[in-house]
Amino acid sequence: MLSRWIVTTSILLSILFDGSFAAPGPKESLSGNTFNLLKDKLPPYDKSKDKDGLLKLTYTAIEKLAKDAKAKNGNGKGPKKGGCDITKVKIRRDWADLSKADKKGYTNAIKCLATKPQRYDPLVVPGARSRYDDFVALHMIQTRSIHATFNFLHWHRYYMFLFEKALDEECGYKGAFPYWNWGTTSSQIYPSYIFNDGEYGLSGDGEYEPHNPNGTEIGVGELLVIPFEPNGGGCVRTGPFANWTVNLGPVAPTLDIVPAVVGDPLQYNPRCMRRAFSNYVASTWSTSSDLLDLILNPLYSTIRGFQNRLSGDFPSGYLGQHAAGHFSIGGDPQGDLYSAPGDPAFWPHHTQVDRVWFLWQLLGEDRFMHVDGTLTFANIPPSRNGTLDDEVDMEAVSPVKYKIRDLVSTVDGPFCYIYL
Ligand SMILES: *[C@@H]1O[C@H](CO)[C@@H](O)[C@H](O)[C@H]1NC(C)=O
Ligand SMILES: *[C@@H]1O[C@H](CO)[C@@H](O)[C@H](O)[C@H]1NC(C)=O
Ligand SMILES: *[C@@H]1O[C@H](CO)[C@@H](O)[C@H](O)[C@H]1NC(C)=O
Ligand SMILES: [Cu+2]
């Protein structure tokens, strides 16, 4: 099934060049061809750079996307009317592939958002102190209708997009929106290319502070217990987010030394960000082979199979890649399902979730227009099935509402990006 989509570089190039292999002469313009800009943005597939096998899948996925766009769009000549102009598609990249300037620009823009005024009505979110907190508050308010629900992937796709847009429009970050490629850190999450004490990472572990002596309980009723890690637990003191302040939550903490807020969960509860990295989680559930399996195994070829695998099966002891990202960082607020976006590592983690979905969508047949699940977390309390016509409401984060059906493709609806 998949082999049909496995292409060689030359086939890929033939599509990018719209069938013409002739290299342009020195004065020849490339601008008339829809896929030329993609060609400029995409170097030919380089096997030596494909450390985990995902790059090849990425090229295969982009080829599919280019074919689809071509079919929809006058054989690839000229930009599509409205929506995403494929020639202007933005490319999201692995943190490793950002320039130093972009790494700095990205973390600075996040810090900038934390200095801009919040838009939530203080009567609704008394604890928000910044635009950054708007994002955290929105996630907290909707937690139980956006996780283990039909809209988990769509909602978070749009949420990532709005955060990317805010970094750009409100804080001037024009660089690539990065993802954290989990497999790269599965044998050692810290220090690693993304989590380290330097200027060009997303900060390191927390200082050591004794915590969770019996391990970390995940899910209601100790569904899964992560073994004790003799590190972290305290405040993060290194890197761009040294002494980063978290104002909201936690609601369902996993760090025993930080209790849940009492009373209004949206009250002001300022505290330092803490982390407690877990190599056990990273190495058990976040390897590249776990990821390839999730994307390629026919067991997960339906939206239900894919979502369930990605989200894990805690009672059976399987954490899944999504939760593994959160709990391999751990601490507060990353260990709290509700206020996790309070740790800036949330963004590259969920961008990777979106990347995995992007790859999965394009590497099979008919994977866009299906949803599975109900409106409530694990269907508690029981609710109806969600549909493609249900709407996503981002409250104070963005006034623009979309239906689920408009959020299925990264090159349609509000979106115009791909992953490399
Ligand atoms: C850890 O487990 C031991 C043995 O069951 C128990 O006595 C102790 O109270 C537990 N500690 C915490 C903090 O839960
Ligand atoms: C973080 O806070 C601690 C404790 O107040 C302080 O000693 C340290 O200098 C601060 N670090 C940075 C980078 O601001
Ligand atoms: C909801 O979806 C499930 C799974 O697809 C299906 O079995 C069930 O019949 C649906 N319920 C309704 C009321 O359509
Ligand atoms: Cu979430």
Side-chain angles (χ1 to χ4, degrees):
M1 180 180 72
L2 182 82
S3 58
R4 275 199 292 140
W5 299 118
I6 302 289
V7 288
T8 62
T9 304
S10 65
I11 293 174
L12 175 65
L13 283 173
S14 76
I15 279 138
L16 297 178
F17 276 105
D18 200 16
S20 152
F21 272 91
K27 286 180 188 155
E28 218 169 319
S29 164
L30 291 171
S31 59
N33 187 310
T34 299
F35 300 112
N36 280 333
L37 267 178
L38 269 185
K39 176 252 163 197
D40 293 341
K41 291 177 177 186
L42 297 176
Y45 171 69
D46 180 352
K47 196 172 191 318
S48 71
K49 288 193 179 147
D50 197 0
K51 295 180 197 82
D52 53 15
L54 284 167
L55 189 59
K56 180 148 196 171
L57 293 184
T58 299
Y59 273 73
T60 309
I62 293 171
E63 181 226 8
K64 173 77 166 4
L65 192 131
K67 265 187 190 160
D68 290 352
K70 201 164 146 179
K72 269 194 214 159
N73 171 31
N75 236 2
K77 307 274 191 240
K80 198 174 125 186
K81 289 185 202 76
C84 175
D85 173 352
I86 199 100
T87 63
K88 303 215 170 85
V89 79
K90 280 188 80 169
I91 299 189
R92 294 182 174 182
R93 296 178 193 277
D94 189 341
W95 178 258
D97 297 329
L98 260 59
S99 64
K100 279 188 170 177
D102 278 359
K103 285 176 176 167
K104 199 94 197 136
Y106 175 76
T107 55
N108 279 342
I110 289 176
K111 290 198 271 190
C112 156
L113 272 190
T115 67
K116 302 283 184 196
Q118 73 275 16
R119 295 185 191 170
Y120 264 111
D121 182 338
L123 292 173
V124 177
V125 185
R129 290 293 180 277
S130 72
R131 182 71 175 137
Y132 189 92
D133 287 347
D134 284 343
F135 284 86
V136 182
L138 170 70
H139 189 268
M140 292 175 72
I141 292 167
Q142 298 195 10
T143 291
R144 301 193 65 86
S145 52
I146 56 169
H147 300 99
T149 47
F150 80 107
N151 60 357
F152 168 69
L153 292 163
H154 311 80
W155 190 94
H156 286 81
R157 170 167 284 174
Y158 187 34
Y159 186 55
M160 292 301 113
F161 171 80
L162 292 173
F163 188 73
E164 178 186 28
K165 194 162 174 274
L167 293 183
D168 175 355
E169 293 175 2
E170 297 170 47
C171 284
Y173 177 63
K174 306 285 176 201
F177 195 58
Y179 62 84
W180 161 31
N181 193 12
W182 305 315
T184 319
T185 54
S186 61
S187 57
Q188 180 175 297
I189 184 166
Y190 167 81
S192 64
Y193 83 106
I194 184 162
F195 299 116
N196 54 65
D197 301 326
E199 267 188 274
Y200 301 107
L202 296 177
S203 291
D205 205 355
E207 289 178 326
Y208 178 64
E209 192 173 325
H211 63 280
N212 298 8
N214 296 338
T216 302
E217 295 165 13
I218 310 283
V220 180
E222 298 176 41
L223 287 176
L224 200 153
V225 180
I226 297 168
F228 167 75
E229 293 273 345
N231 58 271
C235 302
V236 171
R237 301 283 191 209
T238 65
F241 300 110
N243 294 346
W244 175 256
T245 300
V246 182
N247 293 326
L248 294 162
V251 173
T254 41
L255 196 59
D256 62 357
I257 50 182
V258 182
V261 287
V262 179
D264 183 356
L266 298 168
Q267 71 189 270
Y268 187 47
N269 184 28
R271 60 204 189 276
C272 70
M273 172 172 78
R274 295 163 183 261
R275 286 178 181 161
F277 284 116
S278 169
N279 272 330
Y280 177 83
V281 172
S283 60
T284 308
W285 293 289
S286 286
T287 65
S288 294
S289 55
D290 290 328
L291 194 51
L292 290 169
D293 182 56
L294 171 67
I295 296 171
L296 300 178
N297 192 326
L299 280 174
Y300 318 125
S301 66
T302 62
I303 188 65
R304 169 179 290 198
F306 175 73
Q307 268 177 191
N308 289 351
R309 185 68 177 172
L310 175 65
S311 302
D313 179 358
F314 297 2
S316 314
Y318 183 74
L319 193 55
Q321 309 248 312
H322 164 248
H326 291 290
F327 295 118
S328 59
I329 299 168
D332 168 54
Q334 196 57 257
D336 174 27
L337 173 67
Y338 291 74
S339 61
D343 178 341
F346 180 91
W347 308 103
H349 168 51
H350 260 279
T351 304
Q352 164 85 347
V353 169
D354 187 63
R355 171 192 179 221
V356 172
W357 184 31
F358 160 88
L359 291 172
W360 178 87
Q361 286 184 305
L362 287 163
L363 292 169
E365 290 292 348
D366 189 23
R367 291 185 174 178
F368 287 84
M369 291 298 181
H370 298 282
V371 289
D372 180 69
T374 71
L375 306 188
T376 44
F377 185 94
N379 201 28
I380 305 167
S383 57
R384 68 169 169 83
N385 288 339
T387 75
L388 289 167
D389 290 313
D390 282 312
E391 262 187 354
V392 164
D393 179 352
M394 293 302 194
E395 305 182 20
V397 164
S398 169
V400 188
K401 291 180 190 166
Y402 282 97
K403 288 185 171 179
I404 294 293
R405 67 172 65 256
D406 298 322
L407 304 174
V408 296
S409 165
T410 68
V411 293
D412 214 336
F415 309 124
C416 195
Y417 65 85
I418 57 174
Y419 288 96
L420 193 56

